[in-house]
């Protein structure tokens, strides 16, 4: 009632920066553990490569768009922190994981962004460049917001919320709400539209958390577990009777054998 539209937009953008700052810092305990163990074995670099790609795309969009200081500020920090995570991962990763991660960084983060910048500047008229990059950012953000579907499926199958921390789901939901209202108030559909899906998936994750919070974990058994749990009394024993044979003993006499 007391704030103008641009002041409300700044408020939601500022809150979005604060929440996004916390989301970007959420993997810090994971990488502290990698540093302590001096090994990144068992962890994947793909989520951080995708997060870096998202931050660089939005940073490029913010630079092209006028007065998008709040978009530029948080995504500059996002690029810095994701590069730090990947640098630490590469230091302690096995050789094959290092090569795989470096290939993805070159292809997705350097090659992909470089190709986008080149194509936009060569093929797209100047008045349509911001909207073109905006559509690319929106499409990529929609794909990123849909990525928790695999985790939600795992929660339903195992009836365990071990793989879906509540605080992270809550943070992502709040993050989507802040950026949705920011995009709505500044009339930026490329920011507002993807965050509708982000909000819906965040709410769905929290509903699943409340449904399975007290449930007993039911992992799917592996082949080794099945073999170890097999009761010997349940194993079918096949007895084969051989035909009667003759065998000579040492003394040269014959005796029947079966």
């Amino acid at each position: 009632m007391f704030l103008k539209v641009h002041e409300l937009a700044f408020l939601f953008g500022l809150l979005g920066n604060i929440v996004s700052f916390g989301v970007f810092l959420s993997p810090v305990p994971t990488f502290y553990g990698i540093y302590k163990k001096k090994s990144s074995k068992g962890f994947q670099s793909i989520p951080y490569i995708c997060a870096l790609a998202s931050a660089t795309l939005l940073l490029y969009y913010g630079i092209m768009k006028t007065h998008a200081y709040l978009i530029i500020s948080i995504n500059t920090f996002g690029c810095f922190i994701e590069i730090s995570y990947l640098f630490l991962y590469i230091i302690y990763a096995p050789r094959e994981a290092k090569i795989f991660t470096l290939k993805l960084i070159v292809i997705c983060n350097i090659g992909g962004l470089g190709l986008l910048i080149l194509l936009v500047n060569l093929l797209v008229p100047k008045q349509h460049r911001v909207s073109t990059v905006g559509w690319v950012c929106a499409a990529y953000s929609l794909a990123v917001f849909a990525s928790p579907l695999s985790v939600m499926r795992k929660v339903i199958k195992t009836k365990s919320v071990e793989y879906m921390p509540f605080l992270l789901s809550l943070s992502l939901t709040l993050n989507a709400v802040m950026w949705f209202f920011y995009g709505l108030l500044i009339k930026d559909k490329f920011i507002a539209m993807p965050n509708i899906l982000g909000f819906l998936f965040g709410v769905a994750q929290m509903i699943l958390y409340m449904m399975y919070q007290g449930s007993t974990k039911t992992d799917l058994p592996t082949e080794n577990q099945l073999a170890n749990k097999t009761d010997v009394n349940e194993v079918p024993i096949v007895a084969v009777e051989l035909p009667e044979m003759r065998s000579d003993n040492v003394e040269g006499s014959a005796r029947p054998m079966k």
Side-chain angles (χ1 to χ4, degrees):
M1 292 175 63
F2 303 102
L3 296 176
K4 296 179 181 179
V5 173
H6 71 276
E7 292 173 334
L8 277 172
F10 177 80
L11 177 62
F12 278 108
L14 183 61
L15 290 172
N17 269 252
I18 294 169
V19 177
S20 297
F21 185 83
V23 172
F24 278 129
L25 290 178
S26 62
V28 166
T30 298
F31 282 90
Y32 180 72
I34 289 173
Y35 170 75
K36 292 284 286 184
K37 292 189 298 182
K38 309 296 181 187
S39 172
S40 59
K41 190 175 181 181
F43 295 95
Q44 297 291 326
S45 61
I46 293 176
Y48 309 102
I49 291 172
C50 292
L52 177 59
S54 178
T56 51
L57 278 173
L58 287 167
L59 179 60
Y60 179 47
Y61 174 70
I63 291 171
M64 294 187 69
K65 185 179 171 68
T66 55
H67 307 300
Y69 306 116
L70 293 171
I71 296 175
I72 293 172
S73 60
I74 189 58
N75 287 290
T76 301
F77 174 74
C79 289
F80 170 76
I81 198 71
E82 297 300 336
I83 290 171
S84 302
Y85 292 152
L86 288 168
F87 180 75
L88 194 62
Y89 178 90
I90 290 168
I91 289 175
Y92 296 113
R95 186 174 179 274
E96 290 184 2
K98 284 181 183 179
I99 295 171
F100 177 73
T101 301
L102 288 170
K103 283 181 179 178
L104 283 181
I105 291 172
V106 171
I107 294 170
C108 300
N109 300 116
I110 299 174
L113 181 64
L115 182 62
L116 175 66
I117 294 172
L118 183 66
L119 291 176
V120 166
N121 284 280
L122 289 179
L123 303 178
V124 181
K126 191 172 182 180
Q127 65 271 23
H128 298 306
R129 288 176 186 173
V130 175
S131 60
T132 301
V133 176
W135 280 115
V136 174
C137 291
Y140 189 84
S141 296
L142 286 171
V144 170
F145 280 131
S147 61
L149 283 173
S150 58
V151 178
M152 293 165 68
R153 180 173 174 268
K154 194 168 188 177
V155 169
I156 294 170
K157 289 187 72 173
T158 62
K159 302 186 186 304
S160 170
V161 293
E162 178 185 354
Y163 310 101
M164 192 177 67
F166 179 78
L167 285 178
L168 181 58
S169 299
L170 179 63
S171 298
L172 292 173
T173 305
L174 290 174
N175 192 51
V177 170
M178 300 306 168
W179 287 112
F180 166 74
F181 280 110
Y182 174 76
L184 183 69
L185 290 166
I186 66 170
K187 298 179 180 179
D188 188 333
K189 60 186 176 184
F190 306 117
I191 298 297
M193 185 174 58
N195 285 289
I196 297 173
L197 187 64
F199 171 73
L200 294 175
F201 277 125
V203 171
Q205 287 181 62
M206 289 191 290
I207 291 172
L208 281 177
Y209 188 91
M210 289 185 284
M211 287 174 62
Y212 295 110
Q213 183 180 8
S215 300
T216 306
K217 183 179 177 181
T218 55
D219 286 330
L220 297 177
T222 63
E223 290 183 6
N224 291 334
Q225 288 172 331
L226 288 173
N228 293 335
K229 291 181 179 180
T230 303
D231 189 349
V232 71
N233 294 323
E234 296 175 356
V235 178
I237 306 297
V238 180
V240 180
E241 184 177 359
L242 299 175
E244 186 174 78
M245 300 175 63
R246 308 295 293 182
S247 175
D248 294 336
N249 61 11
V250 178
E251 296 177 357
S253 60
R255 57 184 177 82
M257 289 184 61
K258 286 193 176 182

